[in-house]
Amino acid sequence: MIVGAGIIGAAIAYHLSRRNGIAVTVLEREVPGAGASGHSFAWANAFGKEPREYHTLNRRSLDMWYRLAHQLDADIGIHYGGEMRWENTPQRATQLRQRIQQIQKWGYPCRLITRDEMLAFEPHLHPGTVAAASFSEADIHIETDRFIEVCLQRACEGGAVVHPQTSVTGFVVREGSIVAVKTTDAEFPCEGVVLASGVQTTELAAFAHAHIPQQRSPGIVIETTPCAKVLNNVAIIHAPPTDENHQHLHLRQMGDGSLRIGQGTQEGINRDDSQHHADALLARAKAYLPAIGDAEAIPTPVGYRPMPLDGFPVLGFTEAVQNLYIALMHSGVTLAPLVGEMASLEIADNARVEWFAPYRPERFG
Ligand SMILES: Cc1cc2nc3c(=O)[nH]c(=O)nc-3n(C[C@H](O)[C@H](O)[C@H](O)COP(=O)(O)OP(=O)(O)OC[C@H]3O[C@@H](n4cnc5c(N)ncnc54)[C@H](O)[C@@H]3O)c2cc1C
């Protein structure tokens, strides 16, 4: 039984449904993708991930996106092309050069590029001052709704059943194991439960006396109306602040031509879902990409990141209840291929994947 049909629940459902003898049921209180996955900037990368062990986990998963896309052999909304960024002050340029040097040492395929190379990649760009620029070749972005739909479709072809609009309200626990899941509709008997319920994981785990603390981490990624194709080669751009009162901005373009734009970092706190904020963010993007002049901002509601208290994933069976598996994380878009496949090894084969050792639920006591 999988609780939650976000990118993580969908990836686990897909992998488990490929196993003989495992009956997969997915319970989703709204519709698939309604949680953080639908509000995400969805940049799969290991660029800023620290420490090295966590960088490597993300890097492995990023590389696994290419195999998963091949395996699913459908339009999963994956956009290849890498990430390009630049800085416009000497101080931030130094930081960028240092970061590139560091992650090159870790084997990350990224490099410094010149202004001319930037413009050769993206001729529509008006970057202004370029004090340093870089290109991270392997980075991609994903249209999460497409990916979730394909995973669930494939899972259903393998015998899985998905119940939307079905909210889990508790568990029936006997002799240390969950034997049934209580929902607003009915009680579902089960052999095991995977909590892939995003921010609600803490509350649901508490029903089984498991302590999975989270921080509150609101963020905003605005949408725009469709516009002409503006990124010819790269999948994602990170642009420097237009002035010292603003943050960096990041931008990607979807298959239908609409844009997704965020500001600050992928972990930055932002609760301003007003039209004013959306218009101002788009205006800053237009300064760099005048070719998106026709796009109009559509304000989107705040998205809440699943964010474990220490910022790192929580993966594995709980000590409190032996057949309760937790799959909670930020960077779930990056990590979905790896978590989907490795969690399935732990659940279906009773393996203990060593890569997950630093991320076990019991670290919270
Ligand atoms: C603004 C923002 C920007 C981000 N940018 C990036 C990025 O660039 N790169 C990256 O890798 N990650 C990014 N993330 C993080 C990433 O989106 C998440 O880590 C990922 O989407 C988590 O997926 P999930 O399936 O675990 O959770 P969710 O997508 O939240 O799915 C959980 C599901 O569980 C359901 N659910 C909850 N409670 C119940 C219940 N009681 N019963 C039944 N169902 C229930 C919810 O409705 C939801 O559909 C970003 C997140 C946000 C919000």
Side-chain angles (χ1 to χ4, degrees):
M1 188 77 56
I2 298 171
V3 185
I7 197 162
I8 296 298
I12 296 174
Y14 165 66
H15 281 287
L16 282 180
S17 68
R18 300 172 76 216
R19 300 306 197 90
N20 284 332
I22 297 191
V24 177
T25 304
V26 182
L27 305 175
E28 165 55 53
R29 71 173 181 179
E30 295 182 46
V31 290
S37 302
H39 292 84
S40 185
F41 186 64
W43 167 37
N45 75 99
F47 188 90
K49 310 288 167 72
E50 291 273 0
R52 182 180 179 167
E53 192 171 54
Y54 182 58
H55 169 89
T56 303
L57 190 80
N58 282 270
R59 168 68 196 281
R60 282 191 169 119
S61 194
L62 173 59
D63 290 344
M64 287 169 77
W65 265 109
Y66 291 73
R67 176 159 59 89
L68 183 56
H70 174 71
Q71 222 170 44
L72 288 167
D73 192 23
D75 174 12
I76 57 166
I78 191 164
H79 294 256
Y80 301 101
E83 183 254 19
M84 189 167 78
R85 66 174 59 209
W86 71 102
E87 294 293 359
N88 56 10
T89 66
Q91 193 195 2
R92 285 197 302 260
T94 303
Q95 286 164 356
L96 178 59
R97 285 190 205 99
Q98 285 168 348
R99 184 65 193 159
I100 297 297
Q101 220 171 33
Q102 174 65 72
I103 54 181
Q104 279 184 338
K105 257 198 261 173
W106 292 347
Y108 201 60
C110 64
R111 63 181 192 270
L112 293 170
I113 56 173
T114 62
R115 191 176 206 278
D116 286 349
E117 284 174 288
M118 278 178 75
L119 294 176
F121 275 129
E122 295 305 341
H124 292 297
L125 203 59
H126 289 221
T129 304
V130 178
S134 69
F135 175 57
S136 297
E137 183 137 23
D139 297 8
I140 55 176
H141 81 82
I142 292 103
E143 301 196 19
T144 51
D145 52 348
R146 286 293 311 134
F147 173 73
I148 292 170
E149 191 184 328
V150 171
C151 279
L152 295 179
Q153 219 168 40
R154 290 291 151 80
C156 291
E157 286 160 15
V161 182
V162 181
H163 295 271
Q165 313 292 350
T166 304
S167 185
V168 171
T169 54
F171 305 116
V172 181
V173 180
R174 260 187 228 126
E175 293 169 8
S177 292
I178 297 176
V179 294
V181 171
K182 297 180 197 171
T183 76
T184 36
D185 288 348
E187 220 170 81
F188 290 81
C190 67
E191 288 184 15
V193 173
V194 179
L195 282 186
S197 334
V199 290
Q200 275 76 37
T201 299
T202 300
E203 188 186 324
L204 292 174
F207 290 135
H209 305 291
H211 179 53
I212 312 293
Q214 281 186 70
Q215 353 169 357
R216 216 166 158 72
S217 183
I220 305 263
V221 176
I222 67 152
E223 299 183 20
T224 72
T225 52
C227 58
K229 189 168 162 56
V230 72
L231 294 182
N232 288 358
N233 289 296
V234 305
I236 305 113
I237 60 168
H238 274 78
T242 45
D243 61 69
E244 290 313 312
N245 297 320
H246 291 106
Q247 298 177 305
H248 286 78
L249 66 82
H250 38 273
L251 178 147
R252 64 184 176 120
Q253 189 162 33
M254 313 291 269
D256 68 359
S258 63
L259 304 166
R260 299 291 180 275
I261 310 171
Q263 69 174 19
T265 66
Q266 259 58 40
E267 289 79 31
I269 302 292
N270 188 358
R271 293 186 183 81
D272 188 353
D273 57 3
S274 66
Q275 183 73 46
H276 174 74
H277 167 75
D279 288 341
L281 189 53
L282 178 58
R284 281 158 50 210
K286 285 180 181 178
Y288 290 125
L289 282 168
I292 63 172
D294 288 348
E296 286 172 26
I298 305 170
T300 38
V302 178
Y304 288 90
R305 302 179 184 91
M307 188 63 85
L309 197 58
D310 58 8
F312 296 110
V314 187
L315 291 161
F317 287 102
T318 64
E319 281 182 344
V321 170
Q322 57 203 15
N323 63 348
L324 177 63
Y325 193 93
I326 308 290
L328 171 72
M329 72 217 70
H330 177 51
S331 286
V333 176
T334 306
L335 292 169
L338 182 140
V339 167
E341 194 163 39
M342 298 301 124
S344 298
L345 296 184
E346 299 209 312
I347 295 161
D349 302 321
N350 214 18
R352 291 296 168 265
V353 175
E354 288 177 3
W355 298 344
F356 288 1
Y359 309 118
R360 296 304 187 191
E362 56 267 27
R363 70 181 185 272
F364 296 114

